[in-house]
Amino acid sequence: MSSTSLSPLHLAVALDGTGWHPASWREAVARPWDLFSAAYWADLVAEAERGLLDFVTIEDGLGLQSSHFLAPDHRTDQVRGRLDAVLIASRVAPLTRRIGLVPTVVVTHTEPFHISKAIATLDYVSTGRAGLRVQITARPNEAAHFGRRTIPRIESYDAPGTQELITDLFDEAADHVEVVRRLWDSWEDDAEIRDAATGRFIDRDKLHHIDFEGRHFSVRGPSITPRPPQGQPVVTALAHDTVPYRLVARAADIGYVTPHDADEARAIVARIRAEQNAAGRAAEPLHVFGDLVVFLDDDPAAARARRERLDALAGQPYTSDALVFTGTPSQLADLLLELRGAGLSGFRLRPAVAGHDLPAITRGLVPELQRRGVFRRAYEAGTLRGLLGLPRPANRYAAA
C-alpha cells in the first residue's frame, strides 16, 4: 500500500512548560523567564499554526508538577507552577486563525457544568476550534485542595483496591464527559432569535433540561452558554490500558496512546475498536493518535548529544510513558508512516525542548511529510472538527 493511498496524516503537538525533558528550561532557547507570559504561549501556538498542525494540547494539573507520578516532590531544579490551560487557550485564540486549541481539564475535582461553559466559550472565542483533553488525578494531595473527598495513596498498581479506585475515577470521567456533552446540546442551534422588533431574544422552548442522574453527578441544566459553533467541541483523552481505553471508546473523539512499535500499535488499536464496538459507537468516527516524545536535529548524532547533555543536567536519563524518538525529521517521518500502517490516524508529538523541537517539527518534519504526499499544504477547514474530518453532530434534544 502506498503512503498516498491512506487518508491524510493528522499531527498535533503537546505543549508543557518549556518542554517535556525536565532540564529543558536550562537550554538557551527555552525562555524560562517568559514562561508565565501570554506572549510565550502565543509564540508557541503561532509556530504550530505556521506548520499547519491540526491542534495543540496544553498540559495542566491540580497540583505542582512532580518527578513522582502519584505524589509531590520537593525539587527546586525543575519547572514548577503553571498557568491555567483553558485561559491560555482563550488568550491565544484571537491571535490564531485555523489551528485547534485543546486545553487539558482535570475532571476528578471539577464540575462538568463549569467545564462545559468554559470550553463552549473557548469554541466561541476561537470560532469553532476548541477541544478538551480529559484527565483524571489519583493524587491524595490534590484531593486535599478541595476537601470534598479523600483519595487513598496508591503504593502500587497491584495493591488491593487500586484497580477499583482507578476504574471508579475513569467511570466518573466518562460521566463527566456525558454531562458536558449534554449541556452543549441543551440549547438548540436556533434557540437565539435576537429579534429587536418583537423583543424576543431566545425561544425558551429550544432550551432543554438535561436531567442527568448518575452515581457521580446530578445535573439538571440547561447550560447558560448557547450551543458551541462546532455543536460538540472535540473531546480527547490519553490512555494506557484497558480502563482508559474504555473511556476513549465511550466518550472521546480522539484517544492518545503510547505504543513503542508497530505491533503494539496494532494491538492497542484493536483493543480500542473492540471497546468502541461494545459501547455501541462502532459507526462513529474515533481517531487513535500515537504519542511520542521527540528530540529532533538535522544530524542524528547531534540529537543524541543534546539528549545526553540534558540528561546530565537532570542527573538521570530521561524516561517516558511514550516512545522517546531521537533523530532526524526524515527518520521520524519513516517511523510515523510505519506506525500509521498499524492503524493510527495521527500523532501527538511532545517536544523535548519546546524552543528547539517545536520548530524542528514545523520546519523539518512537516516539509518532509509534505514531500511524501501525506500532510496538508494548506488548512482545508475552519473548524477543528473539519480539520479532523469529524461531522458536526445533530443536537440530541432537537425535534426531528
Side-chain angles (χ1 to χ4, degrees):
M1 182 183 291
S2 70
S3 60
T4 53
S5 67
L6 295 168
S7 58
L9 190 76
H10 295 287
L11 209 54
V13 290
L15 302 178
D16 186 14
T18 57
W20 287 77
H21 194 289
S24 59
W25 70 277
R26 300 177 68 177
E27 288 283 82
V29 296
R31 299 170 57 190
W33 52 88
D34 288 338
L35 185 53
F36 301 108
S37 71
Y40 174 83
W41 293 96
D43 288 348
L44 290 183
V45 179
E47 182 62 40
E49 186 169 59
R50 196 172 294 121
L52 306 176
L53 304 189
D54 290 75
F55 59 92
V56 299
T57 62
I58 304 168
E59 296 299 300
D60 208 341
L62 297 178
L64 289 177
Q65 299 94 320
S66 176
S67 56
H68 304 310
F69 182 59
L70 290 169
D73 65 15
H74 301 287
R75 299 186 72 142
T76 59
D77 63 333
Q78 297 177 2
V79 170
R80 294 293 181 265
R82 300 183 185 277
L83 300 181
D84 183 276
V86 175
L87 294 179
I88 291 172
S90 293
R91 178 64 182 84
V92 302
L95 308 178
T96 55
R97 293 182 59 243
R98 292 297 185 91
I99 194 166
L101 303 166
V102 182
T104 294
V105 172
V106 183
V107 299
T108 306
H109 302 294
T110 54
E111 293 295 332
F113 188 90
H114 296 150
I115 299 307
S116 74
K117 183 162 62 81
I119 301 300
T121 299
L122 176 60
D123 209 39
Y124 276 102
V125 171
S126 66
T127 59
R129 293 180 287 122
L132 77 159
R133 182 173 89 84
V134 175
Q135 183 174 300
I136 68 158
T137 174
R139 291 183 174 181
N141 64 300
E142 295 181 8
H145 292 324
F146 300 89
R148 296 177 182 174
R149 60 177 166 178
T150 57
I151 291 181
R153 180 181 173 86
I154 295 175
E155 300 295 344
S156 111
Y157 281 106
D158 298 324
T162 296
Q163 282 305 309
E164 184 179 349
L165 169 63
I166 297 297
T167 299
D168 190 56
L169 290 172
F170 276 102
D171 284 345
E172 179 184 50
D175 277 2
H176 194 290
V177 172
E178 179 63 19
V179 174
V180 166
R181 286 192 182 279
R182 291 190 190 190
L183 287 167
W184 286 336
D185 277 351
S186 64
W187 290 54
E188 295 184 35
D189 288 318
D190 56 352
E192 298 162 86
I193 301 169
R194 308 184 199 182
D195 188 341
T198 63
R200 294 183 72 209
F201 190 87
I202 62 169
D203 183 341
R204 192 64 185 79
D205 292 335
K206 296 191 175 183
L207 271 61
H208 300 276
H209 297 300
I210 70 168
D211 292 326
F212 182 92
E213 290 285 346
R215 193 160 62 88
H216 303 283
F217 303 104
S218 174
V219 181
R220 186 161 191 243
S223 176
I224 66 165
T225 307
R227 195 173 193 231
Q230 294 183 100
Q232 292 276 320
V234 175
V235 176
T236 77
L238 175 65
H240 296 105
D241 209 339
T242 300
V243 172
Y245 292 160
R246 195 168 296 140
L247 170 67
V248 166
R250 288 167 58 189
D253 301 297
I254 302 174
Y256 313 115
V257 298
T258 54
H260 286 69
D261 57 40
D263 287 341
E264 191 179 1
R266 196 171 288 108
I268 290 171
V269 170
R271 291 172 69 184
I272 290 176
R273 297 302 178 204
E275 292 288 352
Q276 184 183 5
N277 188 56
R281 291 186 67 205
E284 297 180 34
L286 172 61
H287 284 294
V288 183
F289 279 26
D291 263 27
L292 296 88
V293 180
V294 296
F295 295 80
L296 289 174
D297 285 280
D298 292 335
D299 176 65
R304 286 193 300 271
R306 186 163 59 91
R307 181 177 173 181
E308 290 166 1
R309 187 178 73 251
L310 287 165
D311 285 350
L313 288 170
Q316 60 190 28
Y318 176 74
T319 60
S320 173
D321 58 313
L323 175 65
V324 181
F325 174 86
T326 307
T328 69
S330 179
Q331 291 171 329
L332 179 57
D334 291 340
L335 175 61
L336 298 187
L337 292 180
E338 180 187 354
L339 291 170
R340 184 174 70 155
L344 301 177
S345 54
F347 299 91
R348 187 177 71 138
L349 304 180
R350 308 178 189 177
V353 179
H356 179 108
D357 295 297
L358 175 57
I361 292 166
T362 58
R363 305 177 194 193
L365 175 65
V366 165
E368 179 64 28
L369 293 172
Q370 289 170 333
R371 279 193 291 273
R372 301 185 190 202
V374 296
F375 194 68
R376 66 172 64 89
R377 292 184 177 271
Y379 280 115
E380 66 275 9
T383 68
L384 179 54
R385 294 189 73 91
L387 292 178
L388 294 166
L390 300 173
R392 187 179 190 275
N395 188 312
R396 74 191 69 194
Y397 299 114

